[in-house]
Amino acid sequence: MKDLAGKVAVITGGAGGIGRCIVAELAEAGARCVVSDMDDEWGQLVVAEIERGGGEAFYVSTDITDSCEVSSLFAETVRKFGSVDIVVNVPDIQVLGPLHELKEDHWDKKVDVALHGAFLVCTEAARIMLSQGRGGRIICISSTGGFLARPGHGPHSASKAALNAMVRAMALELGEHGITVNAVAPGGTDVVGPSRKGGFKPGQTDKILEVMPVKELVHPEAHAHAVAYLASERASFVTGQVLVVDGGFIAGKLTVGGEIEDTVPAGLDSMRGTDGGDV
Amino acid sequence: MVHEFQDTSVLVVGASGLMGGEIAAAFARAGARVMLSDIDGSGAEGRVEELRGEGCDVAFHRADVTDAADVHDLLRHTLEALGGIDVVVNAADVRVFGPAVDVREERWKAKIEVAFKPFFLLFGGVARHWIEEGRTGRMISISSTESTIPYPGSVAESAAKAGVDILTRVMACELGPSGITVNAIAPGMTRKRQEDPGFSAEYIESYMHHIPLGRAGEEREIVDAVFFLASSAGSYVNGQTLVVDGGYSAGIPALQVSGEPPTQWLGFDRDREGV
């Protein structure tokens, strides 16, 4: 199933927990991958892994908050692989804290990476795809935080809600050129970053599972599957969407309501036909 | 005459702008003590003169809402001048429209800064003050319909206002336990915006096409929504963006299905309808 054969994919944040799963999946589908990150050691390891599997990839160290570095990432991609067909923007940093107690430089850093960086990567990608004139796929990794407000998640929610809106607006602008713009919104995912930081602390996992309809943390591979779908021909009519992959985390409030009792209109038997004792 | 906001102190940032100015003036005329603030005094200062002439209790203090020191000064000055703050309205904004591939990085960043920073600089500062003093109050931001309904060229506006909506909800979660409500208003087309030469006739006309009520809103109708959220009637509304747009965001009225309905309408056999 090499449905991305001949395609060139650029994955920013490709060395991180979710990023490297995306690189692996796109490479498996036949795409030549450009891995971009700021963690050179892990970036090289991800490339080496792809090459061991017979795929083609190279690494570019990029600070996506710097427009010059973003331009040279794409220039190098075109120079080595000839085109840019798929761009996946993953980078993020964790900044948590109540808004009225937050330090301004922490806020700035978060918005810079999660939102401004995405803007620079996606718009540069769009300009290149427009000049190539044969469409393309732009995919951002967002978060359920863009939909769900939680105390302490202000910087994260603001960045991701804005990112989702950017994705939708860009989809409107680029649709006629055959460029689709979508996002994947992970939630409840246990990922360990390249520096082996991140991931849930003991105790946190139990709390998350309590509110997750699917009683299991989401594997980072699940997001890679979603990205691969959006990058493929099968998704050519999907644009401006945020595909939530969260085990049902934001579908509603699971812990509200208590025990559910069957409520049946008078004169009718129990709803649970075969389970009712007198059947 | 009933003064709805007698003994209420209101701080309005972005008061030189269209919406901010209208809101500040309306609060002042409804009996509130109002501090108008803006990065640019040109609009607000004239309004202060006009309102003082009417006997309103108003003042102006210049501040850049994206600058921590400025906001600190503004709050200190406002507390001195008004004796407290009960309602804070964030109407600061910069106009950035254009397709994503053409929007300059600095403009994009300026838009996002003005939209996001008031939440932790201004609202954060006011919240800390309220919590320390054991007071409560209302925080209201101006969002826009672009936060949920983008169009080509709205990329910066949509991203910024989507952030405003979710920050409103996050802060409502964080400050609710302290008795503080945080809400937003999303105005659609208003009469003065319709007449604003900054918007092309083509833009205005196409926008008008999508309003079920078929007319632009009056500024007063936006102000009334702000008043609702600031008044006792709005005391249990928290974390919401109240859309006041004549139905613009409800759907696409321009896409009418016309003509005779087909006989097999959604699987319903018309011939049997009369039986």
Side-chain angles (χ1 to χ4, degrees):
Chain A
M1 194 197 69
K2 301 272 184 195
D3 59 354
L4 297 182
K7 303 284 186 192
V8 175
V10 176
I11 301 96
T12 57
I18 292 178
R20 56 179 183 258
C21 288
I22 294 170
V23 175
E25 179 126 358
L26 296 185
E28 181 62 33
R32 287 183 290 168
C33 292
V34 180
V35 180
S36 150
D37 209 289
M38 287 179 76
D39 189 313
D40 300 349
E41 195 191 330
W42 275 74
Q44 301 288 6
L45 283 173
V46 171
V47 167
E49 188 64 31
I50 299 306
E51 286 172 340
R52 248 197 313 281
E56 261 188 274
F58 69 91
Y59 173 76
V60 184
S61 182
T62 318
D63 174 359
I64 59 151
T65 67
D66 181 329
S67 59
C68 296
E69 293 199 21
V70 170
S71 297
S72 46
L73 162 67
F74 286 109
E76 202 165 333
T77 302
V78 172
R79 194 159 54 242
K80 288 196 178 156
F81 281 166
S83 70
V84 176
D85 305 299
I86 300 158
V87 172
V88 188
N89 184 67
V90 189
D92 200 0
I93 51 162
Q94 205 175 44
V95 176
L96 296 172
L99 286 161
H100 65 288
E101 290 167 9
L102 203 66
K103 283 213 189 82
E104 191 174 359
D105 54 344
H106 290 176
W107 171 277
D108 286 344
K109 187 72 193 159
K110 172 76 190 190
V111 175
D112 223 23
V113 174
L115 182 57
H116 296 327
F119 171 78
L120 293 177
V121 170
C122 294
T123 52
E124 183 67 9
R127 283 188 287 271
I128 297 213
M129 287 170 181
L130 286 172
S131 70
Q132 291 174 168
R134 49 193 175 89
R137 296 276 193 274
I138 297 173
I139 302 157
C140 286
I141 299 301
S142 181
S143 164
T144 47
F147 299 104
L148 185 75
R150 278 188 288 173
H153 283 65
H156 184 66
S157 284
S159 305
K160 295 304 192 178
L163 177 66
N164 293 348
M166 183 192 88
V167 161
R168 296 171 61 203
M170 284 188 74
L172 295 180
E173 292 172 3
L174 299 169
E176 63 176 308
H177 303 285
I179 301 168
T180 67
V181 189
N182 292 289
V184 172
T189 309
D190 200 12
V191 224
V192 180
S195 52
R196 295 185 186 278
K197 284 184 195 146
F200 296 122
K201 293 175 187 70
Q204 252 181 320
T205 307
D206 293 343
K207 280 200 163 168
I208 288 165
L209 288 180
E210 208 175 294
V211 295
M212 290 268 288
V214 175
K215 292 293 171 198
E216 190 184 347
L217 288 178
V218 180
H219 307 297
E221 288 81 4
H223 310 306
H225 299 332
V227 168
Y229 161 67
L230 292 171
S232 74
E233 272 308 307
R234 287 168 293 160
S236 55
F237 270 95
V238 180
T239 194
Q241 301 304 305
V242 182
L243 178 50
V244 178
V245 181
D246 71 342
F249 179 48
I250 63 162
K253 297 198 184 193
L254 189 65
T255 51
V256 176
E259 275 295 302
I260 304 163
E261 276 179 41
D262 288 358
T263 309
V264 185
L268 289 182
D269 289 340
S270 163
M271 285 159 73
R272 307 192 181 185
T274 51
D275 292 338
D278 46 277
V279 175
Chain B
M1 177 169 175
V2 183
H3 286 305
E4 196 179 356
F5 290 102
Q6 201 85 52
D7 298 324
T8 305
S9 298
V10 181
L11 167 61
V12 179
V13 302
S16 286
L18 171 60
M19 228 43 256
E22 293 288 334
I23 292 165
F27 269 115
R29 287 176 181 135
R33 289 182 298 275
V34 183
M35 175 63 77
L36 290 82
S37 179
D38 204 291
I39 192 170
D40 164 21
S42 59
E45 277 169 334
R47 219 179 254 276
V48 164
E49 286 311 307
E50 178 195 337
L51 290 165
R52 278 188 178 148
E54 296 173 26
C56 295
D57 189 353
V58 291
F60 173 78
H61 187 84
R62 200 207 71 88
D64 174 357
V65 283
T66 67
D67 184 286
D70 263 22
V71 173
H72 182 80
D73 271 359
L74 169 66
L75 293 183
R76 195 175 43 79
H77 189 87
T78 306
L79 290 171
E80 274 169 24
L82 307 186
I85 300 173
D86 301 298
V87 178
V88 49
V89 178
N90 164 32
D93 204 356
V94 287
R95 201 175 281 176
V96 179
F97 287 97
V101 293
D102 294 333
V103 170
R104 288 209 315 277
E105 187 182 351
E106 311 84 66
R107 298 292 294 154
W108 163 273
K109 284 189 172 173
K111 178 81 193 178
I112 299 293
E113 278 231 316
V114 172
F116 290 6
K117 287 234 161 144
F119 279 88
F120 69 96
L121 292 181
L122 177 71
F123 286 0
V126 173
R128 284 194 300 274
H129 166 74
W130 281 345
I131 292 166
E132 271 165 31
E133 302 273 309
R135 299 176 63 145
T136 64
R138 308 283 170 82
M139 297 177 168
I140 301 162
S141 298
I142 305 301
S143 179
S144 74
T145 52
E146 284 86 346
S147 75
T148 50
I149 315 282
Y151 47 76
S154 79
V155 66
E157 177 74 19
S158 291
K161 297 302 190 180
V164 167
D165 290 354
I166 195 94
L167 282 168
T168 299
R169 295 169 57 200
V170 173
M171 260 195 138
C173 289
E174 291 177 355
L175 300 176
S178 305
I180 299 164
T181 70
V182 188
N183 291 291
I185 299 285
M189 182 62 66
T190 60
R191 196 170 45 79
K192 286 192 180 161
R193 188 179 195 183
Q194 200 181 6
E195 291 160 4
D196 187 332
F199 294 104
S200 72
E202 193 190 1
Y203 164 79
I204 300 289
E205 199 195 308
S206 58
Y207 194 109
M208 295 301 293
H209 233 66
H210 288 262
I211 304 173
L213 284 185
R215 64 172 176 88
E218 295 294 325
E219 274 62 32
R220 181 71 224 178
E221 292 172 301
I222 311 302
V223 167
D224 282 339
V226 175
F227 273 18
F228 165 66
L229 293 175
S231 71
S232 59
S235 57
Y236 203 58
V237 180
N238 194 18
Q240 301 304 306
T241 298
L242 177 51
V243 182
V244 186
D245 70 347
Y248 168 81
S249 57
I252 311 177
L255 273 187
Q256 284 172 17
V257 179
S258 54
E260 272 291 292
T263 48
Q264 292 290 320
W265 186 254
L266 292 176
F268 180 80
D269 193 345
R270 255 178 105 220
D271 294 340
R272 294 164 97 186
E273 199 182 352
V275 176

